[in-house]
Amino acid sequence: MLQHGLKGVIAAETAISYIDGEKGHLVYRGLEAKDIALNYSFEEAAYFIWNGSLPSQTEVEILSGKLKKYRVLPEHMEKMLHLLPTDMEIMSVLRTLISSLGNSHFRWKPTVEEAIQLTAIIPTIIAYWHRRKAGKSPVAPHENYDHVANYLYMLTGEIPSNVHVKTLETYMILTLEHGMNASTFSARVTISTESDMVSAITSAIGTMKGPLHGGAPSDVTKMLNGIGIKENAESWLREKLENGERLMGFGHRVYKTKDPRALALKEKALAIGQDDPWLALALYVEETAIQLLEEYKPGRKLYTNVEFFAAAVMRSIHLEDDLFTPTFTASRIVGWTAHVLEQAERNVIFRPESQYIGQLPTTLS
């Protein structure tokens, strides 16, 4: 039976994550993702996603050392970054630079070491390109900073505050993995041909680039900017609903109750404090929007999703809009590579059928 977009079709078995959209649970390998985000580091969470067990202190130190080793740009990548036109979108830059890693060292079967290498290099590419477009010199990776702190440091050239690091780290852990989404499916399809991990991740980045997948937080920022101040919230939101338009950051294709990732990010937002005017506006808009959605769409169960608080939190730590989707990519690379590794272990090439709706020659009609 035809299912447009393969909606509801089970195409693979996985032990990496589980989503209960009705009850609002996101589980990473048997543990609530929210608990991991609030209690563990990025390095610990990534190790857990790749290996299926929480690491010892020694294993964390080994992984941290490898991430620091691999985040230095190879010479050919530096040259490419200087040659690419500055009007190139950052996701296109990522796709191109990651593809350039596809040398003879990457082959079937994919390895965890390759996953670490790709995870390490992506923040460096993002930071280098972001600063180049702004007319600034690149900031080299800091050998003493962990993965998330180093990313913020390379973007700004300044020592990041612990609050900003922990806030971004919470976001990145919550978005490490989310089942068989479009980009993850792209990665699994590519690796199922017994291609290499670089090719699979290039496919995933190209999919993430699409605004229906990776661009939602930017739309939330536009909405909050449009509202401007608390006093405008109700009239602005009501006008959108009267015109049949969507409120960005509310509702989710999977979650029919509160998005557990949004709840964890909201907890971090509250920790930053409502003295931050941007966060105060976001929290007020959330409350107002949920009330209006229940009024206009009763029973639809439209709650705040992760994109809403991703936009609120990332703006509060001074990340610009064009960094939202790349930062999402810098976290989701862990889930993509985990799925690539899992697919390779019990591989069957993806080969769905299509339903022909064109004309037939008269001899066949």
Side-chain angles (χ1 to χ4, degrees):
M1 182 175 70
L2 175 64
Q3 291 286 356
H4 289 287
L6 301 180
K7 184 177 180 180
V9 175
I10 297 173
E13 293 180 321
T14 183
I16 300 170
S17 70
Y18 167 72
I19 304 165
D20 185 334
E22 295 296 328
K23 296 180 180 178
H25 295 293
L26 172 60
V27 174
Y28 291 165
R29 293 196 182 274
L31 297 179
E32 291 275 3
K34 180 167 73 81
D35 293 338
I36 295 172
L38 295 175
N39 295 293
Y40 293 94
S41 68
F42 179 92
E43 284 81 358
E44 289 170 318
Y47 184 98
F48 184 54
I49 293 289
W50 286 324
N51 297 283
S53 60
L54 289 168
S56 66
Q57 184 58 40
T58 298
E59 288 166 331
V60 171
E61 290 170 1
I62 291 171
L63 174 56
S64 180
K66 288 181 177 181
L67 287 168
K68 290 174 181 177
K69 167 188 170 184
Y70 286 128
R71 65 193 181 197
V72 178
L73 285 181
E75 183 180 353
H76 78 273
M77 275 194 175
E78 285 203 45
K79 290 179 179 178
M80 288 178 69
L81 282 164
H82 284 291
L83 292 172
L84 294 175
T86 53
D87 62 351
M88 197 168 175
E89 285 184 299
I90 193 165
M91 291 299 291
S92 296
V93 172
L94 263 179
R95 183 190 61 213
T96 301
L97 269 290
I98 291 299
S99 183
S100 78
L101 279 176
N103 56 31
S104 59
H105 295 296
F106 288 86
R107 55 170 69 92
W108 180 265
K109 292 171 84 174
T111 66
V112 173
E113 193 75 12
E114 293 172 352
I116 296 169
Q117 184 174 352
L118 289 165
T119 300
I121 201 71
I122 282 179
T124 308
I125 298 170
I126 295 168
Y128 192 113
W129 189 254
H130 180 70
R131 291 183 66 84
R132 185 186 172 212
K133 287 201 73 168
K136 299 176 181 178
S137 299
V139 175
H142 196 298
E143 61 181 14
N144 294 328
Y145 287 164
D146 288 337
H147 189 72
V148 177
N150 178 67
Y151 178 42
L152 283 175
Y153 169 73
M154 288 190 298
L155 286 171
T156 65
E158 300 173 359
I159 299 172
S161 72
N162 289 335
V163 170
H164 285 182
V165 171
K166 289 308 296 180
T167 301
L168 181 58
E169 190 165 48
T170 300
Y171 166 77
M172 292 183 73
I173 294 172
L174 289 168
T175 52
L176 286 179
E177 160 61 11
H178 204 247
M180 191 66 81
N181 55 82
S183 53
T184 297
F185 183 55
S186 292
R188 289 190 79 134
V189 169
T190 300
I191 205 67
S192 79
T193 68
E194 296 192 2
S195 188
D196 57 273
M197 187 178 279
V198 165
S199 297
I201 299 310
T202 302
S203 295
I205 292 171
T207 307
M208 177 71 88
K209 183 175 180 286
L212 292 184
H213 188 17
S218 299
D219 292 330
V220 174
T221 301
K222 291 174 186 175
M223 179 182 74
L224 293 173
N225 281 334
I227 293 170
I229 58 175
K230 292 178 181 180
E231 289 74 14
N232 296 337
E234 183 173 348
S235 60
W236 195 98
L237 295 168
R238 194 177 288 278
E239 181 181 351
K240 292 292 181 183
L241 291 169
E242 290 282 357
N243 293 333
E245 297 179 49
R246 287 182 59 204
L247 300 186
M248 303 310 298
F250 295 87
H252 195 277
R253 183 174 179 176
V254 174
Y255 295 108
K256 307 307 177 189
T257 185
K258 295 180 179 179
D259 185 334
R261 301 166 300 168
L263 292 174
L265 277 178
K266 183 175 182 177
E267 188 173 324
K268 279 294 174 185
L270 291 169
I272 294 173
Q274 294 199 45
D275 55 342
D276 182 308
W278 176 264
L279 280 179
L281 174 63
L283 291 164
Y284 185 83
V285 168
E286 179 203 22
E287 181 181 344
T288 306
I290 289 174
Q291 291 173 357
L292 290 174
L293 284 166
E294 184 57 33
E295 176 185 334
Y296 281 85
K297 302 175 187 290
R300 287 282 301 277
K301 299 180 180 179
L302 298 172
Y303 299 98
T304 323
N305 62 36
V306 69
E307 283 82 15
F308 183 87
F309 276 106
V313 165
M314 287 202 279
R315 172 62 72 88
S316 74
I317 62 174
H318 312 304
L319 288 191
E320 296 174 25
D321 287 8
D322 66 345
L323 289 170
F324 287 2
T325 303
T327 302
F328 186 8
T329 302
S331 63
R332 186 55 59 85
I333 180 66
V334 175
W336 288 340
T337 51
H339 276 272
V340 165
L341 293 165
E342 185 177 65
Q343 178 68 33
E345 286 305 309
R346 298 175 59 190
N347 189 48
V348 176
I349 189 172
F350 284 91
R351 181 61 173 86
E353 300 293 329
S354 60
Q355 182 171 300
Y356 181 68
I357 59 171
Q359 294 183 334
L360 289 171
T362 54
T363 54
L364 297 179
S365 59

